Amino acid sequence: MPDPEILEPTDAIIRVQTAAICGSDLHLYHGTIPGLLPGSVIGHEYVGVVEETGSQVRRFKKGDRVVGAFHVACGSCPMCRRDLYHQCTSGGVLGYGVAFGNLQGTQAEYARIPYADETLRRVPEELTDEQALFSGDILTTAYGAVVNSGLKPGETVAVIGCGPVGIMAVQSALVLGASRVFAVDLLKERTALAEKLGAVPVPAGEVNPVSHITRMTDGEGVDAVIEAVGGSKTIQLAFELVRGGGRISAIGVTSESTFEYPLMNSLTKDITFRIGLANIHRDIDTTLSLVRSGRIDPTVVISHRLPLEQAPEGYRLFDQRKASKVILQVT
Ligand code: NAD
Ligand code: ZN
């Protein structure tokens, strides 16, 4: 691929140092998100060094080490002015095809970052690339989902799915004051990692998560559920785990266009159901601060570090769940 060039005065070109493969990239890998044109560069988790800035970029200069949000936002449209950066009327997702703005991605040596002043953050000097990297996506996605669940200190939480996003949700819920976090996954090694971080493991291959969690919450169910898998099956499970008056916050991506909403159950139980793409710009400064202070360690999910040339192998391992999170070392 040719190196990207500045197209708009608000663009920056960054030299990518560290990238990662995200669970969301697997949807492209399997072709379940349509609209990826041949010859597209994918990837949207990145830390790099600013190489060049457009004439209107004010906050960054050549040489700054930066982490960026996986989606871009202009910062001045009516949606951005409401802090709904993920709803920006001229936004998009890096490396996610025509349905998401047809922007090239960051699993590459260089990347063009639109609206650089809004999209990028300087990486604090004491943080490594890997520590900062996930604030641009999975950590802030998970943190935002917990914020969206309206969690109050002392409440109980169930996190469905302990992939990298779920593990970040476990850490975020604990930092935000959850008394107990139940970590549900089919893979036992994933619930075991959640347990190490302070969660109650619920290996769904061995125990029935509904009866297990219901019993451990004295028959009530949990105050809040974070759904971090994607699809109707686990959203259905969320409705079975939540207590009366509780909240569900779903972030899993799915290509299913509908699911059967449990109308009577949520009417009588008074359930709040929330779903949406992550609003990284809203929470990225918070997650960077939490990482900087040591209260969250996002690097615990990393299992593989590969040079960029071995990205196909990285995708294979990640897809087969032999890797929990793959870092692509670019330079
Ligand atoms: P992942 O695929 O690595 O992890 C998913 C986990 O769910 C796996 O550990 C798997 O074993 C588990 N799982 C699958 N079926 C299950 C079931 N029935 N019950 C319990 N556990 C089950 O993905 P990830 O990187 O952790 O991301 C999770 C989801 O979040 C993906 O769908 C991803 O696209 C999405 N995501 C959304 C946003 C957003 O903006 N909303 C941002 C980033 C990621
Ligand atoms: Zn992602």
Side-chain angles (χ1 to χ4, degrees), residues 186-296:
L186 298 166
L187 302 175
K188 205 172 175 187
E189 65 272 19
R190 299 209 165 180
T191 53
L193 173 59
E195 183 178 19
K196 256 204 235 159
L197 298 166
V200 180
V202 183
E206 291 174 11
V207 298
N208 178 321
V210 179
S211 51
H212 197 71
I213 291 174
T214 306
R215 187 157 22 87
M216 287 199 285
T217 51
D218 306 325
E220 278 199 344
V222 290
D223 299 303
V225 182
I226 310 300
E227 191 281 335
V229 182
S232 50
K233 210 167 137 204
T234 41
I235 291 180
Q236 184 61 44
L237 175 60
F239 278 94
E240 290 168 38
L241 294 179
V242 73
R243 70 156 162 82
R247 292 95 53 197
I248 297 169
S249 173
I251 33 168
V253 171
T254 175
S255 55
E256 293 170 56
S257 57
T258 60
F259 90 107
E260 211 164 302
Y261 192 83
L263 207 48
M264 188 52 90
N265 172 289
S266 47
L267 172 77
T268 55
K269 278 180 79 182
D270 196 0
I271 303 306
T272 302
F273 177 69
R274 224 189 132 141
I275 186 164
L277 292 174
N279 183 354
I280 300 296
H281 303 59
R282 185 190 72 184
D283 297 318
I284 185 171
D285 296 307
T286 308
T287 63
L288 277 171
S289 296
L290 288 167
V291 174
R292 193 174 186 177
S293 66
R295 303 214 39 218
I296 286 183

Side-chain angles (χ1 to χ4, degrees), residues 100-261:
F100 293 86
N102 202 24
L103 301 169
Q104 297 288 38
T106 61
Q107 288 162 5
E109 289 84 353
Y110 292 92
R112 179 179 76 95
I113 308 297
Y115 306 119
D117 277 345
E118 313 296 331
T119 308
L120 299 174
R121 296 292 184 276
R122 213 163 271 112
V123 176
E125 210 168 292
E126 65 267 34
L127 293 188
T128 63
D129 284 10
E130 289 181 359
Q131 285 174 310
L133 180 63
F134 301 140
S135 282
D137 187 353
I138 54 169
L139 170 55
T140 308
T141 294
Y143 180 87
V146 177
V147 169
N148 289 350
S149 80
L151 178 70
K152 292 189 273 301
E155 288 192 322
T156 54
V157 179
V159 174
I160 304 175
C162 298
V165 173
I167 291 293
M168 303 288 154
V170 165
Q171 297 196 73
S172 299
L174 288 169
V175 160
L176 286 167
S179 57
R180 273 179 304 161
V181 178
F182 299 98
V184 185
D185 202 292
L186 298 166
L187 302 175
K188 205 172 175 187
E189 65 272 19
R190 299 209 165 180
T191 53
L193 173 59
E195 183 178 19
K196 256 204 235 159
L197 298 166
V200 180
V202 183
E206 291 174 11
V207 298
N208 178 321
V210 179
S211 51
H212 197 71
I213 291 174
T214 306
R215 187 157 22 87
M216 287 199 285
T217 51
D218 306 325
E220 278 199 344
V222 290
D223 299 303
V225 182
I226 310 300
E227 191 281 335
V229 182
S232 50
K233 210 167 137 204
T234 41
I235 291 180
Q236 184 61 44
L237 175 60
F239 278 94
E240 290 168 38
L241 294 179
V242 73
R243 70 156 162 82
R247 292 95 53 197
I248 297 169
S249 173
I251 33 168
V253 171
T254 175
S255 55
E256 293 170 56
S257 57
T258 60
F259 90 107
E260 211 164 302
Y261 192 83

Side-chain angles (χ1 to χ4, degrees), residues 22-25 44-45 70 137-138:
C22 177
S24 299
D25 293 326
H44 54 259
E45 289 183 305
F70 75 82
D137 187 353
I138 54 169

